[in-house]
Amino acid sequence: MTATAAVRGAAGSAAWADALLLSFAQGGYVQAHPGILQPAEPFLDLSGEELCLRPDLTIPVARDYLASGRAGQPAGFSYLGPVFRYRGGQPSEFLQAGIESFGRQDRAAADAEMLALALEATSAFGLKDVEIRTGDVALFTALIDALKLYPVWRRRLIKDFNRKVSLADDIERLTLATAPGRNEYEGVLAALAGSDRKAALALVTDLMSIAGTTNVGGRTVAEIADRFLEQSTLKGGALPRDALNIIKRFLAIAGDPDESVAQLRALATEAKLDLAAAIDQLESRVGFMAARGIDTRKTRFSTSFGRGLDYYTGFEFELHHKGNGAEPLVAGGRYDGLMTQLGSATPIPAVGFSIWVEALTQAGKSGSAS
C-alpha cells in the first residue's frame, strides 16, 4: 500500500497524520520527538528559566537539533504532536505535523522541496483545489537596505512587515514632518541624533542606572532606547518622498511569479537599486518549483505577503482550501536567522512548514462530500 493510499484509508486526524509521517520518513525526514515542556524564553523573548507548554514545534525541533551532534550538518526532521495556544473560541490544544530542514546550502531547491512536500500533504487527503500563496521577506529587506534608510526606520518597517501590521499607516506617518516645538525629553533626543541602536541603548542604560530604575511603565531598557532613537530620527526629517513611492510600487507587485520577477527587475533598474541577489534567488526558486511539478502559473506571489512571525527571513508560503478564509491548512517558510537566536555560534540555513491537522482533515472530508 502506498503512503497516499494509507492516508486516504486512515480514520481520524491522528491516524491520517501518522500515515503522512510515513511518507515523510520515506523522503528522508526522521521523526523528531521534542519535549512538550519548553523554556519560555525562545517563545516569549524573555530572560529567565520559566517554562511553557510549547505553542509550536519548530523551535523545539530546532533546539533539539542544535543540542545534537549533527548541528550544522544537513538534517531533516518530521513531527506530529500536540501544541498549546490560545485561539479564542477554538480548543487551545491541537495537533500539529510538519517538516523542518536544517543546514542545506541550496536554499532555492530546499524552498521548492518544502512547498512540494506541503502540497503532497494536501493532495494525499484528496484536496486538489488548493490556493498557493507565496512571498519573500528577503526581497523587502533588500529593498529597505538598498534605499539606505535610517537604521531605526529599517527596523521598524521590517518589524511591521513581519508582524503583518499594516505598513500603509506607518509609512505615511514616517513621511510626515515632525511638528515644531520642544518636549521634556528634548535633551535626550538631541544626544541621540545620528546614533545607532548600540549607542542609544548605552546612553539610556546609563541614564536609568543613575535614576536607579530598570524599567518604566513595564517597558524594558531596550524598548525605551528604541523609542527614544525612533523619536530622535523622526525629528531629523521625514521619510523621503521618493523612497515612499518606491516602497509603495514594490508592495503593489503581485500575481504570477515569473511576471513578478520581471516587474521587480524593471523597478530595480528604474530606481537604480541593487536588488539582483534577492531577485535571482526568487527566480531560481520558481525554477525549482517548476522542476518539482508545481504549476507556477497557479501560484500567487505577492511582495507584501508575510506570515506574521519575526523569525522568517526569506521564502514564505501558505496553502488554503478554496473558501476557507484567512486560516491556512499548511504554512511555512525560511528562517535562517532563528538558529543563531537559539544559540548557534554560526548561521545555519533552515526552512520548514507546519500542518494544521484538524483543519486539513476537515477540509478533506468536506472535499470528499462535495
Side-chain angles (χ1 to χ4, degrees):
M1 176 185 280
T2 66
T4 297
V7 168
R8 288 176 176 169
S13 298
W16 165 78
D18 280 334
L20 183 66
L21 287 178
L22 173 62
S23 70
F24 289 160
Q26 292 170 345
Y29 291 88
V30 179
Q31 187 169 357
H33 301 277
I36 288 178
L37 198 60
Q38 294 283 324
E41 182 177 358
F43 298 99
L44 306 177
D45 197 25
L46 298 173
S47 61
E49 298 298 327
E50 296 89 348
L51 299 177
C52 70
L53 296 175
R54 62 192 186 200
D56 76 6
L57 276 151
T58 297
I59 289 176
V61 171
R63 292 182 68 248
D64 285 357
Y65 163 74
L66 290 175
S68 73
R70 302 185 65 184
Q73 302 174 20
F77 301 94
S78 61
Y79 56 80
L80 166 67
V83 294
F84 306 85
R85 190 185 307 168
Y86 178 72
R87 301 190 297 167
Q90 302 181 65
S92 297
E93 177 183 351
F94 55 99
L95 277 178
Q96 194 174 80
I99 279 181
E100 308 299 341
S101 175
F102 305 124
R104 286 182 57 174
Q105 298 296 331
D106 55 341
R107 289 173 171 80
D111 291 348
E113 181 172 314
M114 290 302 106
L115 181 56
L117 289 170
L119 285 167
E120 284 184 20
T122 58
S123 64
F125 208 68
L127 288 179
K128 301 186 184 303
D129 194 12
V130 176
E131 293 181 356
I132 307 173
R133 306 176 189 177
T134 69
D136 191 341
V137 64
L139 282 166
F140 185 73
T141 302
L143 174 73
I144 299 303
D145 287 344
L147 289 172
K148 295 181 171 56
L149 302 177
Y150 285 124
V152 66
W153 286 351
R154 178 187 185 278
R155 288 196 308 274
R156 179 163 166 171
L157 291 171
I158 292 175
K159 182 177 180 180
D160 281 359
F161 183 93
N162 282 339
R163 295 192 175 180
K164 278 188 144 177
V165 175
S166 174
L167 282 172
D169 292 342
D170 215 12
I171 289 173
E172 291 294 346
R173 181 175 181 274
L174 290 173
T175 315
L176 300 175
T178 304
R182 297 177 59 84
N183 62 47
E184 56 186 318
Y185 306 118
E186 192 75 20
V188 177
L189 298 180
L192 289 175
S195 298
D196 58 16
R197 189 171 189 265
K198 184 176 181 181
L201 181 58
L203 175 60
V204 174
T205 300
D206 288 344
L207 291 173
M208 294 183 70
S209 296
I210 293 171
T213 184
T214 57
N215 64 73
V216 176
R219 290 185 176 182
T220 66
V221 173
E223 290 171 333
I224 295 170
D226 281 343
R227 179 60 175 166
F228 275 134
L229 187 58
E230 176 183 305
Q231 291 302 310
S232 69
T233 303
L234 289 173
K235 288 185 71 64
L239 184 68
R241 179 63 62 176
D242 58 345
L244 170 68
N245 291 335
I246 291 171
I247 292 173
K248 285 184 173 181
R249 287 179 58 192
F250 172 89
L251 293 173
I253 295 174
D256 178 276
D258 289 315
E259 294 176 0
S260 297
V261 167
Q263 292 179 53
L264 284 165
R265 292 200 189 282
L267 174 61
T269 300
E270 182 181 335
K272 296 182 174 58
L273 298 175
D274 183 8
L275 305 179
I279 299 174
D280 288 348
Q281 186 73 3
L282 168 62
E283 188 170 37
S284 178
R285 181 188 308 125
V286 174
F288 279 110
M289 287 163 55
R292 283 267 176 183
I294 299 171
D295 187 349
T296 58
R297 293 170 301 177
K298 296 181 179 179
T299 301
R300 176 176 172 80
F301 172 83
S302 173
T303 52
S304 63
F305 177 86
R307 293 226 53 248
L309 295 172
D310 286 344
Y311 60 65
Y312 282 115
T313 58
F315 176 53
E316 299 179 70
F317 72 89
E318 291 180 350
L319 304 184
H320 290 254
H321 186 44
K322 292 285 188 180
N324 80 319
E327 295 303 317
L329 303 174
V330 185
R334 176 159 295 280
Y335 51 96
D336 289 350
L338 180 62
M339 308 309 254
T340 51
Q341 293 177 32
L342 293 177
S344 175
T346 56
I348 300 174
V351 62
F353 63 85
S354 296
I355 302 167
W356 277 259
V357 175
E358 285 91 345
L360 188 50
T361 303
Q362 186 61 40
K365 289 178 180 178
S366 63
S368 300
S370 59

